[in-house]
Each structure stands twice: as structure tokens, then as C-alpha cells.
Amino acid sequence: MPETTPRGLTRLAFGGDYNPEQWPESVWQEDVRLMREAGVTMVSVGIFSWALLEPAPGEYDFGWLDRIIGLLHDNGVRVDLATPTVAPPAWFYREHPGALPVTADGVRYEFGSRAAICHSNADYRAAAANITTELAERYGDHPALAMWHVHNEYGVPVSACYCDSCAAHFRRWLATTYGTVDAVNDAWGTAFWGQRYADFGQINPPRLTPTVGNPGQALDYRRFADATMRENFVAERDILHRLAPGVPVTTNFMTALSQCDSVDYWAWGREVDIVTNDHYLITDGRRTHVNLAMAADLTRSVAGGAPWILLEHSTSGVNWQPHNPAKAPGQMARNSLAHVARGSEGAMFFQWRQSRRGAEKFHSAMVPHGGTDTRVWREVVELGAGLDSLSAVRGTRTEADVAVLWDWQSWWAQNLAWRPSEDADPRERADAFHEALYDRHLTVDFAHPEADLCAYPLVVVPALYLMTKAAGDNLRAYVENGGTLVVSYFSGIVDEHDAVHEGAYPGPLREVLGLSVEEFSPLLPGRNVRVTGPDGAELGGDVWTEFVVPRGAESVWRYADGPTAGHPAITRHRLGEGIAWYVSTRLGREGLDVLLGRAAEDARLAPRADLPHDVEVVVRSGESGRFLFAVNHTGADAKVPLDTPGTELLTGEPAAGRLAVPAGAVRVVRLDG
């Protein structure tokens, strides 16, 4: 069996994508000298090197890669070796133009960027298998090899192709998935608009149509595209497992909902030996550290709670957003250690040395254009030393308080065309609920709707438009057995085929919530509603309202105005030993805090009023002990109460009573006992 940690790595992972092929060999010795100075422990190599490794069909040049891997090994740096299959060479596309993907409206992309791949193309699959085999046979037992890195960021920027090869592959996938074309007709509801198919040969991808196409077909095509990419990953992984037994295989995810929406990471998490993730701050005015925490929580959850690795983030600004500010002094370390707090076994970057040419020459790096006499380099060296002092946290797990249910396939389904309101955005609700829990200093695990939830006193459902019967049964059992559940609007509406559940909304949630919804009444842009509750307390909502009919549930807040005035807005239902809350409008930050505060009381989750705003406190624990991370995202010094004394690992100082966390800094306490 392959390992689930990088082979031979005894410290936290620290380093980045290393692209020596962009530089003359005279620079390589300087690179490894600086890596030693910075405390680099691992680098990723070869991600975009196919054209150099195989300059012509069947002709290989591994000399330069032999030399760089040997040099890294001699200097104590472990290697995360990539299969370069994200970037086929120009000669490959000249011989196999059909491997270039086609858009839904029939335009074929050209060579000259990255990840321009039709994942159904047989020529691409064969060529990818060949280069993977060559690499595995040559380097599978190399002493520097820590793990394999297949491809790069599947799903970005292209996940689906609509060419004839994909059409044929889609038909085969449907036949395997459904068995008969009648089953497809039933799942997609093709009786509507006369879309019925007589045989699989009549089915094409959901290409451009005069108006909205079949939603069941569109949803299945997203599943097919995701599964096809995963087939290609598994094919490369299995070659690597066979030829390099015991060496773990990964591919870098992009779990942040702000960065990738085409991959079902629940499914992918089961296929990799180590979950790794790339995360970049989205500088759109939001609290970037909250998005970071959410991405880390998602990644850890995809890993089943096990430690994972941050394989890419940035030392400072990126170059691909409309505006790319530099990170503030200290922010690089703060971001890195916030990921470690939430389960990462290190912090790696894109990339080691900043490129002089190409599309990402203004993307920050560990060694900037200005070299070592720069703030970024000094902070890189400081971070390397800090991570080295935290080696004891390796193998520990982050402790969570709450589960948030999330399903990428439900996200896909809700974002199809012709829904009641385009402003009902599942990602926005997931962000908002996670942020509200973050501000209550509750650490979040994400969970699939059918996962075992018994470990969590509180489970939150921000947006689950698509819900299987099994998921509904799971939530009912969770509440009956004593759990506290919070469900937001437009959840439990359709099944896995995007067919509305029989009976009144919200389908499989009716009994657990103790209500039905007679009708949706989404609001026009700019319209708001007032919601009044106990003691005349008032909350505000927008985007969405519903005509809710209690069937056992208690009406806790009601609509004071708007189209549903007088009707329940927020309800509470006791079922068995537990309680289920339902909110039928889009609450703002204040409203979510009030709602989650009431739910937390039901769940007996003690408030953390003693913790300052935007100072996050997260605990990792395991055989090596318990470690409290305090991350201060504010511009003021903070005090964090310690129930147990210990030793602060970054400074080596004893810690007890109230831990001082300077503005913008991080402290990590190894708790006694």
C-alpha cells in the first residue's frame, strides 16, 4: 500500500513549485544554496516539462531532470515529482488536433496556454500513459522521491469538452450508469418538450441550443466531465502505484468555492493517497482570511479529517485578478500558519523563483525579482524557521465543533438555468454561514449530506437544493438521536436527477423540519423584508421568502412585511431527542449570528465571548500532544485565554493564563498534559 505521507519527509513541507528549466544551470547551485538557507524541505518539479522531457514523439531527454533531482537530493530537499500531463507539447497537438477541447458552441481551442485538453481523447490518454510510465520507470526508486504529483489543478481552466469523441464517451458513460436508454429518458424527464430518445446514439452533449436545454442532461454532463478527468488521474495513478510501489500519489485540488466549481472533491478525495490543495486569496474586498479558513476546512474535510498539504499559495500578490495587491508584512506567515492550524502538514508556494517571462512573471515567488535583499525573502527565511519549530504537530488532527453540509453536485444543479431567482446563490450562503460560525469562534468540518454526523452537536445546511432520499433519512436520524440542525431556504427540493421530490416542498426535509412550503416568493433586487421574533426583536432579510406552513414546528420569527407578511420566517421543531431550525429568507450577518446563537444554545455549544473578533483559535491534537494555534488577523495586540499552560513553540517561551498574540502575529502553544 502507498504511504499517506510524503516519503522521507520528517518535517513540515516547506518549499514550492521549482521550475529550473526556466533558468540556466548556473543558477541551480544558487537555488539549492538559498533553499538550505530558507529551510526548504520539499519542492515540486516537472509540472510543465513535457516538451523538454519528450521533445519529439518517443524521444526522451531526462538528463537535465536527472541532474536537478540529484542536486536537490544532495542538498537534503525532497522531491514531489510531477507527471507533466497538464501541458502536452506543440508536436502532440500538431499530430493530434482532436485532443484540443471544443466549447459548447462548437469553437475548438488552440495550443498556447495550459490545460487545453479533451479528457476523452484516446491519443491524449495514450501519450499521458507513455510519459507517466517513462517517469515511473526512471525515478520510481530514486532516494529523493517523496511523492508523485499527477497533472495540475484538474478542472481549471477547462473541465468539459463537447467534441464528437466526448459525445461517444458520454453515451458509453450513460449506458454504464443507467443501463438502458429508457432509464435515461426517465431520469431526465424527456417527455417534457418532446425530447425522448430511442437509442443512445441519438444523445449528444448539451451543446448550444436555441433556449434552455434539458437540466437533467446538463447535470449529468457535469458529472461525466468530472468523472472523465478522474478516470485520467486514476490511470496515471495506477501506473505510478505499479511501477513505484509505496510512493504516495496526489494531485493538487482547488477546493475553495471561489476558485473551482467543476470538480466533485468528495469523489476525488477517495482517489488520492494524500489530499493536497492550492489556495489563493481572492482580493474582492471580502475578509480574505475567512475565505482561507473555509478553504482549509473544506480541504481537511475532503481528506476525511486527516492531515493534508497546502501545495500552493502565494508569498505576496498574484497576477491574474483585476487587482493584485501585495500581502502586508507578516501576512505570508499568518496565512501559512492558518492553513497549518486547520490541518495542513506544511506550506508550499507557487513558485520558488519568480519567472522573467511568460504569463505569470508578475506572480510573487519565494525568490522575487529583487532577490534576497527584499522583505519577501526575509519573511520566507523566517517562515522556514518557524515551520521547523512546529514539526511536532505533524500527524495531529484539527478539532472541529460544527459540521456544515456541502455537495458540489447540488451546487451544479442549483446553478443551472431557470431557477426561481438568480440571486439565490448557494456559494454565497455557504460563505455566509461559514463566516458566521467563524465569527462565533467555532471550527467547522464540512460533510457530505449522507455522511455520519453523530460526532457533531450542531449541523448546518446553508444550501442543499439537491438532496437524495438517503440524505434526508440521514438528517432525520441525526435529529431524532439528539442533534441540532439548521437548514436554510431552497433546500431539499430535487433528487439526484433534478426532479422535484413528490409532494410539498421541501421533500425529504418536511418531517424533520415539521413544515411544508406552499410556494416560493423570491424578492426583486433591492427589496428587503423585516422579520420579527421574541420580545419584538427584528431581523432583516432579502432575496428570498416563502409561504411556510408549520406542521408541528414552532414559529419563532415571522415576516413583518413583504409578500409573505404574517407567515413564519424562522421555525424550530423538536423531533425525538433533537431540534431542527429552518430559515426561509436570506439573513444578513446580524441575523445569522442571532439564529446560530439560538441553535448553539440548543446544541449546548458554549459561547466564546472571551475571544477577540478576527483572532482565530484552533486546536490540533494527536499522539504528540495538543497544540493551540492563535492567529491574530487584526492590527491590535490581543490576549487569548489558556485553560491549560504550555510552551509557545515559535518563541520557546512558557505560556499560561492569557496568551499575548501581537498584532498580525501567530502563536502556537503546545499544551501541557
Side-chain angles (χ1 to χ4, degrees), residues 164 166-176 200-204:
D164 289 342
C166 288
H169 191 184
F170 184 44
R171 295 174 196 125
R172 295 192 298 272
W173 182 86
L174 290 171
T176 300
F200 285 109
Q202 296 175 351
I203 301 176
N204 279 320

Side-chain angles (χ1 to χ4, degrees), residues 67-350:
R67 294 191 295 279
I68 196 61
I69 292 178
L71 185 61
L72 291 166
H73 178 61
D74 291 343
N75 285 271
V77 179
R78 307 295 294 161
V79 173
D80 168 36
L81 183 57
T83 66
T85 52
V86 69
W91 63 256
F92 171 79
Y93 287 118
R94 184 180 181 89
E95 291 195 358
H96 309 289
L100 288 163
V102 175
T103 65
D105 53 357
V107 175
R108 189 178 294 278
Y109 287 115
E110 289 289 345
F111 172 78
S113 179
R114 67 169 190 174
I117 296 164
C118 167
H119 283 275
S120 294
N121 184 268
D123 296 315
Y124 168 76
R125 291 183 167 206
N130 286 341
I131 189 65
T132 299
T133 299
E134 292 288 335
L135 284 165
E137 289 178 342
R138 190 173 190 92
Y139 300 107
D141 59 356
H142 196 289
L145 182 62
M147 63 182 187
W148 293 104
H149 178 319
V150 170
H151 205 267
N152 185 71
E153 295 179 346
Y154 280 98
V156 178
V158 178
S159 60
C161 171
Y162 298 81
C163 71
D164 289 342
S165 292
C166 288
H169 191 184
F170 184 44
R171 295 174 196 125
R172 295 192 298 272
W173 182 86
L174 290 171
T176 300
T177 302
Y178 289 100
T180 67
V181 74
D182 287 340
V184 174
N185 284 316
D186 183 61
W188 293 358
T190 57
F192 187 79
W193 280 359
Q195 296 171 345
R196 187 169 185 82
Y197 299 103
D199 59 67
F200 285 109
Q202 296 175 351
I203 301 176
N204 279 320
R207 294 166 174 155
L208 186 65
T209 52
T211 186
V212 173
N214 186 294
Q217 178 191 24
L219 178 58
D220 265 347
Y221 204 75
R222 296 203 68 158
R223 291 176 173 135
F224 159 76
D226 178 57
T228 301
M229 291 188 293
R230 199 160 59 250
E231 284 177 12
N232 286 352
F233 166 77
V234 168
E236 292 187 41
R237 180 204 66 191
D238 289 351
I239 291 170
L240 298 170
H241 279 172
R242 175 171 55 84
L243 296 176
V247 181
V249 180
T250 190
T251 186
N252 45 338
F253 294 167
M254 299 190 75
T255 62
L257 306 185
S258 54
Q259 291 174 223
C260 182
D261 66 354
S262 58
V263 174
D264 180 356
Y265 286 115
W266 294 126
W268 283 77
R270 295 189 292 268
E271 301 294 350
V272 296
D273 300 324
I274 304 172
V275 167
T276 64
N277 195 54
D278 297 352
H279 180 262
Y280 294 96
L281 301 181
I282 303 300
T283 53
D284 59 0
R286 305 187 193 199
R287 298 160 71 201
T288 55
H289 57 280
V290 181
N291 176 273
L292 184 158
M294 183 176 177
D297 289 340
L298 268 166
T299 308
R300 181 185 69 253
S301 302
V302 166
W308 53 279
I309 298 176
L310 175 66
L311 208 55
E312 286 185 27
H313 71 315
S314 66
T315 57
S316 191
V318 298
N319 73 313
W320 39 264
Q321 299 183 73
H323 306 93
N324 299 285
K327 288 186 176 180
Q331 189 178 2
M332 177 206 307
R334 191 166 66 251
N335 290 165
S336 299
L337 296 177
H339 281 288
V340 174
R342 294 175 185 270
S344 177
E345 298 282 71
M348 298 181 65
F349 296 90
F350 179 86

Side-chain angles (χ1 to χ4, degrees), residues 416-491:
L416 295 173
W418 286 11
R419 298 307 185 231
S421 172
E422 64 181 15
D423 295 328
D425 179 358
R427 177 200 156 190
E428 182 278 330
R429 282 292 81 186
D431 286 344
F433 272 90
H434 183 274
E435 184 171 8
L437 293 165
Y438 178 97
D439 285 341
R440 296 189 71 83
H441 301 286
L442 295 171
T443 302
V444 170
D445 275 348
F446 285 85
H448 188 274
E450 297 178 15
D452 183 0
L453 304 171
C454 66
Y456 304 101
L458 176 61
V459 170
V460 176
V461 181
L464 201 56
Y465 162 77
L466 184 157
M467 178 180 284
T468 63
K469 181 180 182 300
D473 292 343
N474 189 41
L475 292 183
R476 174 169 180 154
Y478 166 76
V479 173
E480 288 178 330
N481 290 322
T484 299
L485 177 69
V486 177
V487 178
S488 187
Y489 62 88
F490 206 42
S491 293

Side-chain angles (χ1 to χ4, degrees), residues 479 512 552-554 572-580 602:
V479 173
V512 70
E554 168 195 1
R572 180 177 182 269
H573 183 225
R574 182 173 292 279
L575 181 68
E577 300 297 317
I579 293 170
D602 285 338

Side-chain angles (χ1 to χ4, degrees), residues 434-561:
H434 183 274
E435 184 171 8
L437 293 165
Y438 178 97
D439 285 341
R440 296 189 71 83
H441 301 286
L442 295 171
T443 302
V444 170
D445 275 348
F446 285 85
H448 188 274
E450 297 178 15
D452 183 0
L453 304 171
C454 66
Y456 304 101
L458 176 61
V459 170
V460 176
V461 181
L464 201 56
Y465 162 77
L466 184 157
M467 178 180 284
T468 63
K469 181 180 182 300
D473 292 343
N474 189 41
L475 292 183
R476 174 169 180 154
Y478 166 76
V479 173
E480 288 178 330
N481 290 322
T484 299
L485 177 69
V486 177
V487 178
S488 187
Y489 62 88
F490 206 42
S491 293
I493 306 303
V494 301
D495 66 11
E496 59 269 34
H497 303 299
D498 197 47
V500 173
H501 287 286
E502 290 187 9
Y505 309 128
L509 290 173
R510 287 194 302 266
E511 292 186 8
V512 70
L513 296 176
L515 55 80
S516 62
V517 175
E518 286 193 349
E519 194 173 5
F520 310 131
S521 188
L523 300 174
L524 295 175
R527 300 292 178 88
N528 300 283
V529 291
R530 292 181 299 114
V531 175
T532 56
D535 302 321
E538 186 173 292
L539 307 175
D542 63 3
V543 170
W544 193 272
T545 64
E546 295 175 343
F547 291 94
V548 173
V549 179
R551 302 189 187 279
E554 168 195 1
S555 298
V556 184
W557 276 271
R558 289 184 177 272
Y559 291 106
D561 56 14

